[in-house]
Amino acid sequence: MLTCFQMLLYASMWGLAWAVIGDERRAVGHWLVYALGLALGLALMSQRPDMNVWLTEIGANVALLLAFICAQRGMLAFLRLPERTGEMLVLVAVTLAGMIWLGPVPQPRGWIHPGYLVAAAVGWVVLSTTWRAHRTLRDQFGRTVARVVATTNGVIGLINWVRVVIALVAPQNIVPLHVPSALNMGLVYMTMAAAASFNFMFLFLIVLRLLRRLTTLVQRDALTGLLNRRAMEQLLDRAWSRWRRLAEPFTVVSVDLDHFKHINDTWGHQAGDEVLKAAAGQLVAHVREVDAVGRVGGEEFMAVLEACASGVSTVAAERLRQAVAAEAVQVEAGVSIAVTASVGVATVSPGDANVGEMLKRADAALYRAKREGRNRVCTSEGEAAP
Ligand SMILES: Nc1nc2c(ncn2[C@@H]2O[C@H](COP(=O)(O)OP(=O)(O)OP(=O)(O)O)[C@@H](O)[C@H]2O)c(=O)[nH]1
């Protein structure tokens, strides 16, 4: 009954989550049914041998099997993996047929008991799903999380298979689940611990995913996926601190697309958006991994080049200008347009009192590039040949 109460607590937790977390409703719905199904199955089992034997034997076992299937389908839904519906339907049909054929057996006679049929099926569902989900879990949440889930699920699956093995090799040790025995108590505690771990782990993963989404919303530009102005400012502050402490130079490259208003006016806003995305892709593809690229205004981008002194900064900026100019963007079927960009470069210098002064120098260089004919790189010290 204690385990049943624990499951009802999880059910209320998932019920609450279902009401407030829109994006993960499918997975959360599965876990709500899982906790309710487990609570129902355990409640029915605890009524043995007083209640109807079909309900407490077959009914309870069916509830448990469906509950575990829901738990695993929830995991697959959460990871956006196929939910194996056909496979599960076959499994339920075969197990149900087997249980009905065996009929309710209130006093287990060795392995001849519907409960062991269900235990074998549950073990398979849990372990095979864990196997399938492991790599995706590791890719999305890292090794540690994947290991914790594999261990938790592994324990749940193995508990079920161990029950079947004990029933097969030492049937004399088996006493009905509602009768307290060392084996049964061990099973109950292990099940409680594994269930707690499973439920809290996935609640934690939902929160983690929401946090990641929020971070992305706060730091990324929705159109291009690049860092936004706020994220670039934070990044510049960190680069500035490194410069002050370690004298590690860095360079700011301001990139502004030329005549972008004309592109919008001629081909429409959507075509303009495509041009912005293409330029963003080109910029990201042409900086080093340690560098960062952001969209800091309508058609204005910025690259922060780490550990980059003035000698190489012009070469890097020129590479970015050429990369934008090299990409013809398709704005209509059969119509591609060339886009150019003006670029201003400033490398941090001992004369800068703060990062703002450095940015002003980069902006001044950019305006000079515009004034002097566009599609060129200007540095804050002097113009570089395009
Ligand atoms: N499609 C699209 N256009 C945008 C977006 N943000 C800003 N713009 C447009 O970008 C244009 C910028 O125009 P201007 O500042 O005159 O710059 P420009 O036409 O590139 O001229 P120069 O910089 O002098 O070469 C404006 O028409 C804005 O409406 C956006 O997210 N999508």
Side-chain angles (χ1 to χ4, degrees), residues 5-6 22 33 69 84 94 108 120 125 135 140 147 149 154 179-180 186 189-190 196 219 229 238 257 278 302 355 380:
F5 181 65
Q6 186 197 16
V33 178
I69 287 177
R84 308 165 66 194
V94 170
V125 169
R135 185 188 293 232
Q140 288 187 16
R147 277 190 194 145
V149 173
V179 177
Y189 286 128
M190 280 176 82
Q219 294 193 328
R229 176 177 279 278
R238 285 198 295 273
L257 301 189
M302 180 193 284
V355 75
S380 54

Side-chain angles (χ1 to χ4, degrees), residues 176-254:
L177 269 180
H178 62 279
V179 177
S181 73
L183 183 65
N184 282 350
M185 291 317 284
L187 280 177
V188 166
Y189 286 128
M190 280 176 82
T191 307
M192 283 174 82
S197 176
F198 181 91
N199 282 277
F200 288 121
M201 189 70 201
F202 278 99
L203 189 67
F204 165 75
L205 292 187
I206 285 182
V207 174
L208 193 67
R209 190 177 266 175
L210 285 177
L211 276 177
R212 280 184 185 171
R213 248 179 236 155
L214 269 180
T215 312
T216 304
L217 280 178
V218 169
Q219 294 193 328
R220 297 269 163 188
D221 164 51
L223 178 70
T224 59
L226 294 184
L227 294 172
N228 59 19
R229 176 177 279 278
R230 179 209 303 251
M232 289 307 280
E233 280 170 359
Q234 288 174 352
L235 203 124
L236 280 168
D237 284 343
R238 285 198 295 273
W240 180 258
S241 300
R242 276 199 302 278
W243 158 248
R244 299 306 278 184
R245 282 202 197 165
L246 311 166
E248 195 178 290
F250 67 100
T251 291
V252 168
V253 181
S254 284

Side-chain angles (χ1 to χ4, degrees), residues 223 256-262 264 268-270 272-273 276 295 298-299 370 374:
L223 178 70
D256 192 287
L257 301 189
D258 296 327
H259 302 302
F260 188 65
K261 187 173 179 317
H262 175 71
N264 264 341
H269 209 262
Q270 213 170 343
D273 285 355
L276 289 172
R295 182 179 174 214
E299 84 297 15
K370 290 275 182 193
R374 296 182 173 82

Side-chain angles (χ1 to χ4, degrees), residues 85 99 123 157 162 176 235 268-269 326 348:
T85 308
M99 282 198 291
V162 165
L235 203 124
H269 209 262
V348 71

Side-chain angles (χ1 to χ4, degrees), residues 57-354:
E57 292 294 323
I58 307 291
N61 277 307
V62 169
L64 293 183
L65 176 60
L66 293 177
F68 277 106
I69 287 177
C70 280
Q72 301 307 308
R73 276 166 66 87
M75 187 162 99
L76 295 173
F78 179 67
L79 296 172
R80 315 290 188 252
L81 291 170
E83 290 178 37
R84 308 165 66 194
T85 308
E87 210 177 316
M88 291 301 128
L89 283 175
V90 171
L91 182 82
V92 170
V94 170
T95 315
L96 195 61
M99 282 198 291
I100 292 171
W101 177 67
L102 284 174
V105 187
Q107 293 302 320
R109 295 187 304 273
W111 61 273
I112 309 169
H113 191 276
Y116 299 126
L117 213 54
V118 166
V122 166
W124 184 79
V125 169
V126 174
L127 294 174
S128 62
T129 313
T130 308
W131 179 257
R132 283 174 203 211
H134 186 73
R135 185 188 293 232
T136 311
L137 257 172
R138 196 189 55 200
D139 293 347
Q140 288 187 16
F141 296 100
R143 258 172 218 285
T144 311
V145 165
R147 277 190 194 145
V148 173
V149 173
T151 309
T152 304
N153 262 352
V155 169
I156 296 173
L158 287 177
I159 286 176
N160 281 279
W161 275 2
V162 165
R163 283 186 62 209
V164 179
V165 172
I166 293 176
L168 280 173
V169 299
Q172 67 282 3
N173 290 339
I174 299 292
V175 281
L177 269 180
H178 62 279
V179 177
S181 73
L183 183 65
N184 282 350
M185 291 317 284
L187 280 177
V188 166
Y189 286 128
M190 280 176 82
T191 307
M192 283 174 82
S197 176
F198 181 91
N199 282 277
F200 288 121
M201 189 70 201
F202 278 99
L203 189 67
F204 165 75
L205 292 187
I206 285 182
V207 174
L208 193 67
R209 190 177 266 175
L210 285 177
L211 276 177
R212 280 184 185 171
R213 248 179 236 155
L214 269 180
T215 312
T216 304
L217 280 178
V218 169
Q219 294 193 328
R220 297 269 163 188
D221 164 51
L223 178 70
T224 59
L226 294 184
L227 294 172
N228 59 19
R229 176 177 279 278
R230 179 209 303 251
M232 289 307 280
E233 280 170 359
Q234 288 174 352
L235 203 124
L236 280 168
D237 284 343
R238 285 198 295 273
W240 180 258
S241 300
R242 276 199 302 278
W243 158 248
R244 299 306 278 184
R245 282 202 197 165
L246 311 166
E248 195 178 290
F250 67 100
T251 291
V252 168
V253 181
S254 284
V255 179
D256 192 287
L257 301 189
D258 296 327
H259 302 302
F260 188 65
K261 187 173 179 317
H262 175 71
I263 294 174
N264 264 341
D265 293 346
T266 313
W267 304 102
H269 209 262
Q270 213 170 343
D273 285 355
E274 290 308 316
V275 168
L276 289 172
K277 284 196 261 181
Q282 285 293 85
L283 294 175
V284 170
H286 289 85
V287 293
R288 296 166 304 170
E289 266 181 27
V290 289
D291 301 332
V293 181
R295 182 179 174 214
V296 292
E299 84 297 15
E300 200 181 330
F301 300 89
M302 180 193 284
V304 176
L305 312 180
E306 304 275 351
C308 182
S310 54
V312 279
S313 62
T314 325
V315 178
E318 178 56 23
R319 192 174 61 234
L320 294 181
R321 186 197 66 77
Q322 284 179 6
V324 173
E327 171 100 334
V329 183
Q330 187 173 348
V331 287
E332 264 179 23
V335 183
S336 295
I337 55 168
V339 183
T340 62
S342 301
V343 180
V345 189
T347 298
V348 71
S349 103
D352 293 324
N354 51 47

